[in-house]
């Protein structure tokens, strides 16, 4: 588009009781001059002709002499019907000029020099009525008549008396009408109940092509319609000029409404209803202010910079409802999430349950000074009763109580119990304490991450997702899987979201919208970077005239002429759910069927965290990858519960060895609770196993008398989960020995002191061999179980003395993609 459609505010925002003139002035201050120019607005004639406009002009019919716009076809509706009846090929039909030119009657001036009257003849004599009679008497051709010096121009007769019409009148006596309206009036006068004054006020404009007449409409309605059109164009919505003209001629003008709010909904035309509602909403919201919403019981959150509505009618007591409004004003000024409306409404629902309980009192909760702790107890007992009777779940009960507590607590913090506040006189014991909130149930063992086999099946069906939706939706799911970002963060990626670090490795640039941390960086793999690079090329080809800094990586398919509107995360979730439901059952390795309800876009973030946690990524590093400020938040994304840990320990403990490589507890199948407790308090973790030496255990592992020469101590034991650490340590010893042997600048005693002993190397090599041999004696199924159990134990094991952690490789979910 030629100009930006950003409103220019030149008038103060009107109040809730503003007059029509004040509203009109304010709306005109929001309408950009660039939009009016591009839309072909003629302020004097009050006519809009959006020829060539990106969203309103459309394409002109290719048939010669036809100025009608194309509507979803290669021809206009009239030429389309003519083409179907003609039987001619389209290529031949578009070369034949359209003969009928009656649409131009009364819109072009007479060809006589200086004549201000319109021509009315649809034949070959484009002259006004008076000059046509003169030409008949004159004889000869049109050119001879126009060249006659005795032929003089005539003054115009004024505008047509129909308010909406912008043509000139052609008759000098009676009701002055243009040619089309003049031909229509005699037939209407023969109708018994015809009201000529009403007809002159509400008759259609008679415009043609893409011309839209706003004549005869109140000033406020004109301003509302123009602002609504500007907003639609700014969003990239297409508006057919003919549909908009029909809305004005058949619905708005006949209604006689002073504002769009008073225009009745059209019954028979669904397209007109949608167009009216969208335009009306934009115009109404333009003049909304927070002050105007405060007095209402249903708030339009657009006035607060959010989406959606907030309903207070669920709270019955006036003092409690006013307190809820005060809380909502404070809450909306702080919250930054897109789901602010739903979060706020959930808090109000919790407060509504308190209101319902108070209605059971004799005074229906109106006298707040009579309330006490007993009313809070009634509320808590009522919540327990409703849960016990299946009215809602345990989590819903906890949520209602917690949110009601948050609102009442914040209201007291805000000082609403002061003498002038809505809670003035409320007793101090009318409060929900922290202990009143029911304790949530223990989280499930499995967590919200998706098993690797489920992820592989999802990746294998990504092509069907693209066929069902579009490439951008499919790509967003791939990026969710690969990066573990939140859906909103992926959907709103900018086009220039890929960079390289100092080593040339790809880095994703994204914004953490939830916490308002802008410009975050995430290292990614080359296959993921390749997906982004290919998408960047497609976006540049789709919007070649736009600056890359103004484009998004995943542009929406509709209402997006400038390429700056991203796909919506809610739409992504809906399409993802539809896709998952159409896929075949997800069968796990143990032949069980995975519940499809657990597969949703945010689960990919949990899976990303669990994959890296299973690979041995430290929690502080994982917190940085997840962009969490608190480590406790990161731990909620990958939780290995006691049951899972106990099962893993029971399997790993079956392959426990002493320093000589001799099996310990070879016949143990179950670890008793006493043994698990002793394992926790009777030993400490050392670099390659556990130590039970009393003084070292008492010192928390920091008082080893052998200076951590563990393989030479009888108090040392290890298990199969330490096998990668032992192998790494052996390699380090071998490298260190070779390096020391080649150092000529070191003294002999220093070299001998630092040289790893052959006995230690031999002992570690034998220990590794014995552990490996025992593992190889197991069946494939047993080996797989041991490996999984060792992975769980390694995940929770803490490092000791800064020893490097041996990471496990991430599972390959997309083997078909090249690394």
């Amino acid at each position: 588009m030629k100009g930006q459609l950003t409103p220019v505010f030149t008038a103060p925002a009107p109040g809730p009781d503003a007059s029509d003139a004040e509203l009109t002035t304010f709306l005109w201050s929001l309408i950009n001059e660039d939009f009016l120019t591009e839309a072909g607005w003629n302020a004097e004639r009050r006519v809009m002709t959006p020829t060539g406009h990106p969203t309103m002009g459309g394409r002109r019919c290719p048939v010669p002499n036809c100025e009608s716009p194309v509507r979803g076809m290669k021809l206009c509706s009239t030429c389309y019907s003519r083409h179907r009846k003609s039987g001619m090929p389209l290529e031949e039909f578009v070369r034949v000029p359209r003969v009928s030119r009656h649409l131009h009657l009364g819109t072009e001036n007479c060809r006589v020099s200086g004549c201000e009257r319109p021509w009315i003849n649809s034949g070959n004599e484009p002259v006004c009525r008076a000059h046509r009679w003169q030409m008949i008497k004159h004889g000869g051709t049109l050119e001879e008549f126009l060249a006659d010096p005795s032929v003089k121009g005539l003054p115009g007769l004024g505008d047509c008396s129909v308010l909406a019409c912008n043509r000139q009148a052609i008759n000098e006596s009676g009701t002055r009408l243009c040619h089309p309206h003049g031909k229509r009036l005699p037939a209407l006068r023969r109708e018994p109940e015809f009201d000529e004054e009403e007809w002159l006020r509400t008759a259609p404009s008679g415009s043609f092509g893409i011309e839209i007449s706003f004549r005869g409409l109140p000033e406020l309605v004109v301003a509302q319609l123009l602002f609504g059109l500007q907003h639609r164009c700014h969003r990239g919505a297409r508006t057919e000029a003919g549909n908009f003209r029909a809305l004005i001629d058949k619905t708005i003008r006949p209604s006689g409404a002073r504002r769009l709010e008073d225009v009745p909904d059209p019954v028979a035309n669904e397209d007109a209803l949608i167009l009216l509602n969208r335009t009306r909403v934009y115009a109404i919201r333009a003049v909304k202010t927070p002050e105007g919403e405060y007095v209402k019981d249903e708030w339009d959150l657009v006035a607060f910079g959010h989406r959606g509505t907030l309903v207070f009618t669920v709270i019955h007591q006036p003092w409690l409802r006013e307190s809820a409004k005060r809380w909502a004003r404070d809450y909306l000024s702080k919250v930054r999430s897109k789901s602010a409306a739903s979060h706020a409404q959930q808090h109000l629902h919790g407060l509504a349950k308190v209101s319902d309980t108070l209605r059971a009192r004799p005074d229906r909760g109106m006298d707040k000074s009579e309330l006490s702790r007993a009313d809070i107890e009634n509320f808590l007992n009522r919540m327990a009763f409703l849960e016990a009777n299946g009215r809602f779940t345990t989590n819903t009960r906890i949520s209602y109580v917690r949110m009601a507590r948050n609102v009442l607590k914040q209201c007291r913090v805000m000082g609403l119990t002061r003498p002038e506040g809505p809670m003035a006189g409320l007793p101090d014991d009318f409060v929900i304490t922290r202990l009143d909130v029911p304790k949530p149930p223990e989280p499930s063992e499995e967590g919200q991450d998706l098993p690797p086999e489920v992820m592989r099946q999802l990746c294998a069906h990504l092509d069907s997702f693209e066929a069902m939706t579009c490439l951008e939706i499919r790509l967003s799911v791939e990026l969710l899987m690969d990066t573990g970002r939140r859906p909103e963060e992926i959907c709103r990626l900018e086009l220039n979201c890929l960079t390289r670090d100092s080593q040339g490795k790809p880095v994703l640039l994204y914004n953490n919208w939830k916490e308002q941390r802008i410009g975050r960086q995430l290292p990614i793999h080359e296959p993921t970077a390749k997906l982004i690079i290919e998408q960047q090329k497609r976006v540049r080809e789709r919007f070649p005239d736009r600056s890359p800094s103004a484009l998004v990586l995943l542009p929406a398919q509709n209402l997006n002429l400038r390429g700056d509107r991203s796909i919506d995360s809610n739409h992504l979730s809906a399409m993802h759910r539809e896709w998952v439901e159409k896929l075949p059952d997800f069968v796990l390795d143990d032949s069980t069927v995975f519940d499809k309800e657990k597969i949703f876009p945010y689960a990919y973030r949990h899976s990303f965290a669990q994959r890296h946690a299973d690979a041995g990524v430290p929690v502080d590093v994982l917190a940085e990858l997840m962009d969490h400020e608190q480590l406790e938040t990161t731990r909620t994304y990958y939780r290995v519960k006691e049951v899972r840990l106990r099962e893993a320990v029971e399997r790993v403990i079956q392959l426990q060895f002493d320093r000589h490589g001799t099996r310990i507890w070879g016949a143990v199948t179950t670890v008793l609770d006493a043994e698990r407790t002793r394992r926790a308090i009777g030993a400490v973790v050392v670099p390659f196993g556990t130590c039970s030496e009393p003084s070292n255990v008492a010192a928390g592992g920091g008082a080893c008398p052998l200076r951590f020469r563990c393989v030479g101590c009888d108090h040392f034991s290890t298990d199969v989960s330490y096998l990668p650490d032992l192998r790494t340590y052996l390699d380090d010893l071998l490298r260190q020995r070779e390096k020391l042997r080649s150092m000529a600048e070191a003294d002999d005693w220093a070299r001998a002191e630092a040289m790893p002993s052959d006995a230690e190397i031999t002992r570690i090599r034998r220990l590794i061999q014995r552990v490996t041999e025992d593992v190889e004696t197991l069946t494939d199924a047993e080996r797989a179980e041991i490996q999984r159990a060792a992975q769980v134990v390694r995940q929770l094991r803490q490092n000791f003395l800064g020893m490097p952690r041996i990471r496990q490789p991430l599972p390959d979910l997309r083997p078909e993609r090249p690394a």
Side-chain angles (χ1 to χ4, degrees), residues 343-629:
H343 290 167
Q345 193 64 63
Q346 290 171 10
H347 281 79
L348 294 184
H349 284 316
L351 197 63
K353 297 301 178 182
V354 177
S355 177
D356 292 340
T357 303
L358 297 181
R359 292 186 74 189
R361 290 174 49 88
D363 60 357
R364 303 183 69 81
M366 298 298 179
D367 188 357
K368 53 183 176 293
S369 62
E370 295 297 325
L371 302 180
S372 65
R373 173 65 186 180
D375 296 292
I376 297 295
E377 294 171 352
N378 290 338
F379 163 68
L380 298 174
N381 291 330
R382 183 169 181 267
M383 294 296 100
F385 169 79
L386 293 175
E387 178 196 352
N389 285 270
R391 297 285 295 275
F392 44 64
T393 64
T394 301
N395 289 333
T396 303
R397 171 194 171 192
I398 296 173
S399 177
Y400 281 156
V401 175
R402 181 187 295 115
M403 292 182 178
R405 176 179 181 266
N406 292 342
V407 176
L408 293 177
K409 179 182 177 181
Q410 184 64 21
C411 286
R412 289 185 179 273
V413 172
M414 293 168 57
L416 301 188
T417 55
R418 293 175 180 173
E420 68 277 6
M423 285 186 170
L426 186 67
D428 294 338
D429 59 348
F430 186 82
V431 60
I432 303 176
T433 67
R434 180 176 58 84
L435 297 179
D436 291 333
V437 181
K439 184 179 179 180
E442 192 71 14
S444 62
E445 173 72 17
E446 53 192 8
Q448 291 185 313
D449 62 295
L450 303 177
E453 51 265 43
V454 173
M455 291 291 294
R456 294 189 187 97
Q457 295 178 57
L458 287 169
C459 294
H461 290 88
L462 282 173
D463 290 340
S464 64
F465 195 17
E466 180 180 349
M468 189 182 74
T469 57
C470 63
L471 179 61
E472 283 74 18
I473 298 292
R474 179 246 172 91
L475 181 59
S476 65
V477 174
E478 285 194 84
L479 293 178
L480 287 172
M481 293 177 175
D482 290 352
T483 65
R485 300 307 92 188
R486 300 177 181 91
E488 185 179 4
E489 295 168 357
I490 291 297
C491 290
R492 298 175 63 180
L493 284 174
E494 299 176 358
L495 183 67
N496 298 327
C497 63
L498 183 66
T499 186
R500 300 276 174 172
D501 58 16
S502 59
Q503 299 179 352
K505 301 296 183 181
V507 176
L508 179 70
L509 303 177
Y510 70 97
N511 297 323
N512 183 343
W513 297 107
K514 181 179 180 181
E515 301 297 335
Q516 292 296 301
R517 293 197 288 270
I518 308 302
R520 313 303 293 173
Q521 297 186 5
L522 175 73
I524 58 177
H525 299 293
E526 286 294 346
T528 306
K530 184 179 179 181
L531 291 176
I532 295 176
I533 293 173
E534 293 175 350
Q535 175 63 12
Q536 288 175 333
K537 294 179 180 178
R538 286 189 289 265
V539 173
R540 291 303 307 273
E541 292 174 356
R542 180 179 170 186
F543 305 100
D545 299 330
R546 297 285 292 169
S547 172
S549 61
L551 297 174
V552 295
L553 181 67
L554 302 172
Q557 294 296 310
N558 301 321
L559 306 180
N560 196 20
L561 292 179
R562 296 181 299 276
D564 57 354
R565 180 171 171 266
S566 302
I567 59 176
D568 185 68
S569 57
N570 294 328
H571 177 64
L572 167 63
S573 298
M575 298 306 298
H576 183 273
R577 170 52 48 197
E578 183 179 345
W579 170 59
V580 170
E581 293 298 335
K582 291 182 179 179
L583 294 179
D585 291 339
F586 294 88
V587 182
L588 304 181
D589 293 341
D590 57 1
S591 300
T592 59
V593 178
F594 190 77
D595 186 6
K596 291 183 177 181
E597 292 295 327
K598 299 178 181 180
I599 305 176
F600 48 90
Y602 213 92
Y604 299 133
R605 182 168 172 83
H606 288 267
S607 303
F608 175 87
Q610 191 66 54
R611 288 200 305 271
H612 286 78
D614 290 342
V617 176
V619 64
D620 55 338
V621 177
L622 185 55
E624 185 176 351
L625 289 176
M626 302 292 289
D627 197 24
H628 290 153
E629 291 184 340

Side-chain angles (χ1 to χ4, degrees), residues 681-735:
I681 66 173
V684 293
V685 177
V686 290
F688 316 112
T690 57
C691 175
S692 58
E693 201 279 326
S695 60
N696 194 33
V697 172
C704 176
L706 295 180
R707 294 168 62 183
F708 305 107
R709 301 296 196 275
C710 298
V711 293
C713 178
D714 283 335
H715 295 285
F716 170 75
S717 63
T718 187
D719 57 55
V720 67
S721 67
Y722 289 95
L723 191 56
D725 303 86
L726 290 170
R727 287 171 174 164
T728 300
Y729 185 53
L730 176 61
D731 293 339
D732 290 341
L733 292 177
L734 294 174
R735 283 193 298 268

Side-chain angles (χ1 to χ4, degrees), residues 161-203:
S161 296
V162 174
L163 290 180
C165 185
N166 64 315
R167 293 184 174 92
Q168 296 187 49
I170 62 172
N171 56 318
E172 300 184 35
S173 60
T175 303
R176 295 191 175 186
L177 297 172
C178 65
H179 188 274
H181 286 120
K183 294 184 64 176
R184 176 67 175 155
L185 182 60
L188 293 174
R189 284 174 171 171
R190 291 192 290 269
E191 298 179 2
E193 299 181 357
F194 174 67
D195 187 342
E196 185 169 336
E197 292 186 1
E198 179 70 12
W199 179 76
L200 292 175
R201 186 184 65 83
T202 61

